[in-house]
Amino acid sequence: MATPLQGREIRLKSRPHGEPTPDNFEFATVTVPEPAEGQVLVRNHFMSVDPYMRGRMNDAKSYVPPFKLGEVMDGGSVGQVIRSRSPDFKEGDFVVAGTGGWREYAVAPAKHYQKADPSVGPLSAYLGVLGMPGMTAYVGLLDIGKPKAGDTVFVSAAAGAVGGVVGQIARIKGCRVVGSVGSDAKVKHLRDDLKFDAAINYKSAPIAESLAKACPDGIDVYFDNVGGDHLEAAIGLMKNHGRIVLCGAISVYNATAPTPGPRNLGLAVGKRLTLQGYIVMDHADRRADFLRDVGQWLREGKVQDVSTIVDGLDKAPDAFIGLLRGDNTGKMLVRLAKDA
Amino acid sequence: MATPLQGREIRLKSRPHGEPTPDNFEFATVTVPEPAEGQVLVRNHFMSVDPYMRGRMNDAKSYVPPFKLGEVMDGGSVGQVIRSRSPDFKEGDFVVAGTGGWREYAVAPAKHYQKADPSVGPLSAYLGVLGMPGMTAYVGLLDIGKPKAGDTVFVSAAAGAVGGVVGQIARIKGCRVVGSVGSDAKVKHLRDDLKFDAAINYKSAPIAESLAKACPDGIDVYFDNVGGDHLEAAIGLMKNHGRIVLCGAISVYNATAPTPGPRNLGLAVGKRLTLQGYIVMDHADRRADFLRDVGQWLREGKVQDVSTIVDGLDKAPDAFIGLLRGDNTGKMLVRLAKDA
């Protein structure tokens, strides 16, 4: 009988107050169980760290349940099936799931996984442009923001995993695309790599001023990833009948007290604005359209797959903490398999 | 030759800073001109004072142009045609318009007016439940709020011209209806006269607490007339996929500095909320439906026509100032014709 497979995983040790610290996480080595009937055993190549995970570290009711103290954390993962007890997958298949992350090996029901086709893009892209962040951008921009050719689309956190794809899709749809980021290097990235029409470093000047300069004719669609003063600045510049896609509010995820809301929300009446929040998992019916469109744009070079990759499970807590500070350009990933 | 007709009117003398005062208005007596070709001369029976007029007293761009200093103010009016140079109206016709108010007689293009049928409801109702406020309630609740039978609908300023109709229509549509008002007398009015399921005096206790008690299962549709802490309290209690109709923000119309926005707007993401502002004049295509439905409900006694009426043009500034303080129950009107 073969030696049982050992795998490392990360558990939630304590809940953060404000910014997470390495102390909130603990490492453990566990014996990986054999898959039961209907399950697969997956060796993770990459795991995802995402802003929404900050909410799951709190003990608060939300659209996903909180992480439990002392239990393995969870998140998106891509990897390769090394044992299958499901007719849906065979050994060697590449797979992606919204679960199974923060560990080297995962055993889970086969229905949690979907096949990842390496001919469409690199495996890591299935956690980024071809995965949850890409689909968040796709349905949020197209189905909720409803941009028309010629519209001005503003996206915040525009060098992030979602924001970068929002900007690139808006450009494909014939919009004028403006993005905000937190460094001059990211400004250059938006302009040179992602071909944004204008890019703002919100740390160099008050966002309301620089946004007004970048959008002299106003904003038709604002894709909000950050909340806070970005949202207030955008409301002030929205055109009549504008749409604001409420995707996230990374500026306040670490807040320890209620943060100010937009003081000018009353303008939404006269400007006939719509602000709409959404969660990508409600839009699973769009997955085939998303993979078809974004897969094609990726192959044609119209959309770039951008990621920041750190190596080894040891680095996952720092990668996550850094993500909330904006250390990443594109999708923040942790590579778990040295040969991936 | 007959003595020329003299009429009194109210002009904007100065722009208010904060709450308007009587000094902001001035009275003048003018010779009423003869109507030109295509125009009518109307003797006003009632004029309307509405919250939106506060915005027009500022020198600020909005969906309606500001009142001009030294010129007659403007607003909704109903009256009787006493001279017509249009084939659309004859002397004696009862008419209603969104213009022509703040004066005893108006001369204007016939196309500004629509006929008011006294068999459907009293003439004054054409400035209330059968007029702009009623239609604001109708399109906002039905087309934007989209309530379903069994939904909990919360409306603020619920004893006002718009809020009272919102609640009554929501009840007709099979919803559980909760309203907030600023006095115990209005609480009684909502319960006894308008048949609300629950009513809150927001001055007796913090709105977040009393609203949570009144809506133990959460809120599906919030019809917002006041903004401020009402909006924040409602966001906290909204159910997933809830709709917030942004109709007005009377709590901040007299504000002299930016007022805090809802600190919990970030909840709109996980709850998949939609907040939508609108202006009734964009929805003119719904006027026939509105008059048919609300006219029928009024005749059947399912909707009450509620108004607070003061007598004489002299009282118009105080009526308007009082409206912004919540002095009215139902539509605030100024009766200009003693025989009306």
Side-chain angles (χ1 to χ4, degrees):
Chain A
M1 186 177 154
T3 314
L5 190 62
Q6 302 283 305
R8 296 174 73 226
E9 64 182 35
I10 297 179
R11 297 169 179 173
L12 181 66
K13 187 176 175 188
S14 59
R15 301 197 185 277
H17 181 75
E19 189 174 58
T21 65
D23 289 345
N24 298 132
F25 305 87
E26 69 183 343
F27 289 79
T29 299
V30 296
T31 298
V32 179
E34 280 295 315
E37 184 61 35
Q39 291 187 327
V40 288
L41 165 57
V42 175
R43 178 175 176 244
N44 283 336
H45 287 205
F46 294 91
M47 60 163 271
S48 181
V49 289
D50 297 285
Y52 79 86
M53 294 170 175
R54 178 62 188 83
R56 297 191 69 184
M57 296 183 83
N58 298 333
D59 189 17
K61 191 184 156 195
S62 183
Y63 59 95
V64 279
F67 294 131
K68 289 183 185 161
L69 285 174
E71 293 192 9
V72 62
M73 294 181 64
D74 198 15
S77 62
V78 292
Q80 196 166 21
V81 174
I82 58 174
R83 206 109 77 227
S84 175
R85 292 192 63 193
S86 159
D88 297 334
F89 298 103
K90 62 181 190 303
E91 285 177 29
D93 279 349
F94 291 105
V95 291
V96 56
T99 62
W102 297 85
R103 72 200 83 174
E104 293 173 330
Y105 296 92
V107 173
K111 66 183 178 190
H112 288 186
Y113 286 94
Q114 294 182 289
K115 275 186 189 160
D117 178 354
S119 76
V120 180
L123 196 57
S124 60
Y126 282 90
L127 294 178
V129 66
L130 291 173
M132 184 273 284
M135 186 155 158
T136 300
Y138 181 89
V139 301
L141 178 67
L142 298 182
D143 297 355
I144 296 177
K146 298 187 177 71
K148 299 180 297 294
D151 278 358
T152 293
V153 173
F154 169 51
V155 54
S156 51
V162 174
V165 181
V166 167
Q168 294 182 87
I169 296 177
R171 193 170 47 79
I172 290 167
K173 296 295 180 182
C175 301
R176 180 169 181 274
V177 183
V178 178
S180 70
V181 289
S183 75
D184 290 341
K186 287 180 180 176
V187 165
K188 190 169 173 352
H189 168 63
L190 292 193
R191 287 189 181 143
D192 296 351
D193 304 331
L194 302 187
K195 312 299 181 195
F196 276 50
D197 295 286
I200 295 164
N201 179 352
Y202 71 87
K203 292 181 180 168
S204 315
I207 181 69
E209 290 174 22
S210 43
L211 189 58
K213 278 182 206 159
C215 304
D217 300 320
I219 298 169
D220 297 282
V221 178
Y222 171 42
F223 193 104
D224 185 25
N225 289 311
V226 308
D229 55 5
H230 270 76
L231 179 54
E232 183 171 294
I235 289 171
L237 291 166
M238 293 302 290
K239 293 198 228 177
N240 286 349
H241 305 286
R243 286 83 66 200
I244 297 181
V245 183
L246 300 173
C247 179
I250 198 167
S251 75
V252 303
Y253 287 170
N254 282 333
T256 53
T259 50
R263 294 168 297 178
N264 57 357
L265 186 57
L267 293 176
V269 179
K271 293 186 178 196
R272 298 87 152 166
L273 304 184
T274 301
L275 297 84
Q276 187 171 349
Y278 76 108
I279 296 296
V280 65
M281 65 189 183
D282 293 342
H283 300 266
D285 59 325
R286 290 281 274 153
R287 188 173 150 86
D289 299 330
F290 156 69
L291 284 174
R292 181 198 62 227
D293 289 346
V294 178
Q296 181 182 332
W297 294 330
L298 192 63
R299 282 191 303 270
E300 294 172 351
K302 291 180 180 169
V303 163
Q304 309 293 322
D305 169 40
V306 183
S307 57
T308 298
I309 297 177
V310 300
D311 272 293
L313 190 71
D314 291 339
K315 296 284 177 46
D318 284 346
F320 176 65
I321 294 165
L323 168 77
L324 295 173
R325 290 179 183 155
D327 287 354
N328 56 304
T329 298
K331 180 73 191 95
M332 183 72 111
L333 291 174
V334 182
R335 180 160 30 208
L336 300 177
K338 289 204 180 73
D339 54 339
Chain B
M1 186 178 152
T3 313
L5 190 62
Q6 303 282 305
R8 296 174 72 225
E9 64 182 35
I10 297 179
R11 297 171 179 172
L12 181 65
K13 188 176 176 189
S14 59
R15 300 196 184 279
H17 181 75
E19 189 173 60
T21 66
D23 290 346
N24 298 132
F25 305 87
E26 69 183 344
F27 289 78
T29 300
V30 296
T31 299
V32 180
E34 281 295 315
E37 183 61 34
Q39 290 186 327
V40 288
L41 165 56
V42 176
R43 177 174 177 246
N44 283 337
H45 287 205
F46 294 91
M47 60 163 271
S48 180
V49 290
D50 298 284
Y52 80 87
M53 294 170 174
R54 177 63 187 85
R56 296 191 69 185
M57 296 182 83
N58 298 332
D59 189 17
K61 191 183 155 195
S62 184
Y63 59 95
V64 278
F67 294 130
K68 289 181 184 162
L69 284 175
E71 294 192 9
V72 62
M73 294 181 66
D74 198 16
S77 62
V78 290
Q80 196 165 21
V81 174
I82 57 174
R83 208 109 78 228
S84 175
R85 293 194 62 195
S86 160
D88 296 336
F89 298 103
K90 59 181 192 304
E91 285 176 31
D93 279 350
F94 292 105
V95 291
V96 55
T99 63
W102 297 86
R103 73 200 82 175
E104 292 172 332
Y105 295 93
V107 174
K111 66 183 179 190
H112 288 185
Y113 285 94
Q114 295 182 288
K115 277 187 188 157
D117 179 354
S119 76
V120 180
L123 196 56
S124 60
Y126 282 90
L127 294 177
V129 66
L130 291 173
M132 184 274 284
M135 185 155 159
T136 300
Y138 182 87
V139 301
L141 179 67
L142 299 182
D143 298 355
I144 296 178
K146 297 188 178 70
K148 298 180 298 293
D151 278 358
T152 293
V153 173
F154 169 52
V155 55
S156 51
V162 174
V165 181
V166 167
Q168 294 181 88
I169 296 177
R171 195 172 45 81
I172 289 167
K173 296 296 181 181
C175 302
R176 180 169 182 274
V177 182
V178 178
S180 70
V181 290
S183 76
D184 289 342
K186 288 181 180 175
V187 165
K188 190 170 174 349
H189 167 63
L190 293 193
R191 287 191 181 141
D192 295 352
D193 304 330
L194 304 186
K195 311 298 181 196
F196 277 50
D197 296 285
I200 296 165
N201 178 353
Y202 70 87
K203 292 179 180 168
S204 314
I207 180 69
E209 289 173 23
S210 42
L211 189 58
K213 278 181 207 158
C215 304
D217 301 321
I219 298 169
D220 296 284
V221 178
Y222 171 43
F223 193 103
D224 185 25
N225 289 311
V226 308
D229 54 5
H230 271 77
L231 180 54
E232 183 171 295
I235 289 172
L237 291 166
M238 294 302 290
K239 293 197 226 177
N240 286 349
H241 305 286
R243 287 82 66 200
I244 297 181
V245 183
L246 299 173
C247 179
I250 199 167
S251 73
V252 303
Y253 288 170
N254 282 334
T256 54
T259 50
R263 294 169 298 178
N264 56 359
L265 186 56
L267 293 175
V269 179
K271 292 186 178 196
R272 298 89 152 165
L273 304 184
T274 302
L275 297 85
Q276 187 170 349
Y278 76 108
I279 296 296
V280 65
M281 64 188 184
D282 294 342
H283 299 266
D285 59 323
R286 290 281 274 152
R287 188 173 149 85
D289 299 331
F290 156 69
L291 284 174
R292 181 198 63 227
D293 288 347
V294 177
Q296 182 181 332
W297 295 329
L298 191 63
R299 282 192 302 271
E300 294 173 352
K302 292 181 179 168
V303 163
Q304 311 293 322
D305 169 39
V306 182
S307 56
T308 299
I309 296 177
V310 300
D311 271 292
L313 191 71
D314 290 340
K315 297 283 176 46
D318 283 347
F320 176 64
I321 294 165
L323 168 79
L324 296 173
R325 291 179 183 154
D327 287 353
N328 56 304
T329 297
K331 181 71 190 97
M332 183 72 112
L333 291 174
V334 182
R335 181 160 30 208
L336 300 177
K338 290 205 181 73
D339 55 339

